[in-house]
Amino acid sequence: MTSTHHTPDPHGPSQGHSHHHGPAAPVSRHLRKVIAAVLVPFAAAVVVGLVMLWPGSAPAHQRTGVGFDRQTEQGRVASVETIDCKDAGVAPMPGAGQPEPEPRADTAAKACGKATVEVTTGSHKGRTFTEIVPPDAPRQLHEGQGVIVAYAPDAPRELQYSVTDVNRKVPLAVLAGIFALVVVLVGRMRGVTALIALAVSFAILTLFILPAIIQGSNPLVVAVVGSSAIMLIALYMCHGLSARTSVAVLGTLVSLLLIGLLGSFFIGWAALSGNTDDNTGLIHGLYPDIDMSGLLLAGIIIGSLGVLDDVTVTQTSAVWELHQADPDMGPRALYRAGIRIGRDHIASVVNTLVLAYAGAALPLLLLFSIARSSVGTVANSELVAEEIVRTLVGSIGLVAAVPVTTVLAALVVSADRPGAGDAPVGREGGQPAGRPAGRSSRTGRGGRRRRAR
């Protein structure tokens, strides 16, 4: 006689950090009501916040002609010819009473480029101007290359246009297409929903969060409302409308609240102004009413949201799978098993977040290294201190998300008691209530097929 008992798969629930989440098990009607009682008011508050804070038109301002606040048009390099750098006035000129500097061998062997650039958009379409490109310039121009040109209407005619950057739309569009194709091919319908959720998240960021901050709304409040809307839409769209997803939403919400509180406290204690470079200085100059330290905190919250979603969904799915493998496990046993999975996840996500911020700040760190500044001096500068606070606050929130979400999932799934007419707790497909998920009334291939699904 063949035994109907199947040994739990060692590569199954114990590897909850693998990001493979099966179909969510149905829960009792009572538990669904409890979860809805918490999430429905929260979702309603988010909708009210979106309506109340929804921005109108951004306040007008006079263009400064500095940085990104310039009028730009599209252009194309019509031709490039080689000229003598001295004739173009690019070579260094000696100062009064100073000897003429000796030319560098590598520079003397090269000549400057004289690019003729044609404006291809705007009211001056078809107009041409010249751009001198030194041989040691980091950006060289080539014939036929697309460029971005800045327009200064108050400058003399021959100086009104200048090349500010190259046009990267085609390579960026191709890369985005490859990304979307890979996501759809690998993720199939889940990949499609993930791309839709990504588009919705980007729309909320560009249509609500950024304009609302520019209009003068509190950056922290805008970030909380916008991040909550992104969280609700992305999680439910990607993982389905289920109790398991709802627990992940609650875990993410608690962690975001912790990040907001810690960030607000340490930004104030460390006296971080949020105005540390040319871009933030330009924002503050154009819109003095924007709270720059609040903008810094909003960036921390939004930046942590994406990784938080991953952590909370994975932990919730791990606890759900553990419960389905052994329905007799109590909340304490579920928490202990889930937290063991979470510890592996903690190590990876914290390292990911720290390296991501370090990579973004690598040129800045290189400057401090060249200056041979001490570690204490580097860390104390506001530029680096901002990144330290951003990284550590976000990491604390990520680490806290693991036990918080695990506790919530263990309590919710253990408290589930299906009553008459409720779907049984178990794998979708009609598993009888009270029968362990590891046992099946069918033997042979049928039983194995049920476990693999």
Side-chain angles (χ1 to χ4, degrees), residues 241-253:
L241 191 64
S242 65
R244 186 164 71 181
T245 307
S246 299
V247 172
V249 169
L250 290 175
T252 305
L253 179 61

Side-chain angles (χ1 to χ4, degrees), residues 305-351:
L305 179 61
V307 188
L308 269 178
D309 288 351
D310 174 74
V311 172
T312 55
V313 169
T314 301
Q315 282 304 113
T316 305
S317 296
V319 173
W320 240 261
E321 293 295 325
L322 288 167
H323 178 70
Q324 290 178 10
D326 185 1
D328 295 329
M329 292 180 69
R332 182 172 298 180
L334 283 172
Y335 173 79
R336 289 175 178 173
I339 203 67
R340 285 195 295 270
I341 298 171
R343 290 192 183 105
D344 292 336
H345 210 187
I346 286 174
S348 61
V349 296
V350 170
N351 196 46

Side-chain angles (χ1 to χ4, degrees), residues 364-450:
L364 176 64
L365 297 177
L366 184 60
L367 283 177
F368 281 108
S369 177
I370 293 173
R372 298 182 180 180
S373 302
S374 65
V375 175
T377 302
V378 172
N380 190 68
S381 67
E382 186 168 359
L383 273 172
V384 177
E386 276 190 6
E387 299 302 324
I388 292 175
V389 171
R390 190 194 310 271
T391 302
L392 296 183
V393 168
S395 298
I396 292 172
L398 291 177
V399 173
V402 172
V404 168
T405 308
T406 306
V407 166
L408 289 173
L411 291 175
V412 167
V413 78
S414 299
D416 188 35
R417 294 292 183 268
D422 283 328
V425 177
R427 295 192 181 273
E428 289 182 342
Q431 177 91 351
R435 184 185 298 274
R439 299 180 182 272
S440 173
S441 58
R442 301 175 60 188
T443 60
R445 293 175 57 191
R448 288 194 294 271
R449 190 183 302 115
R450 183 185 299 278

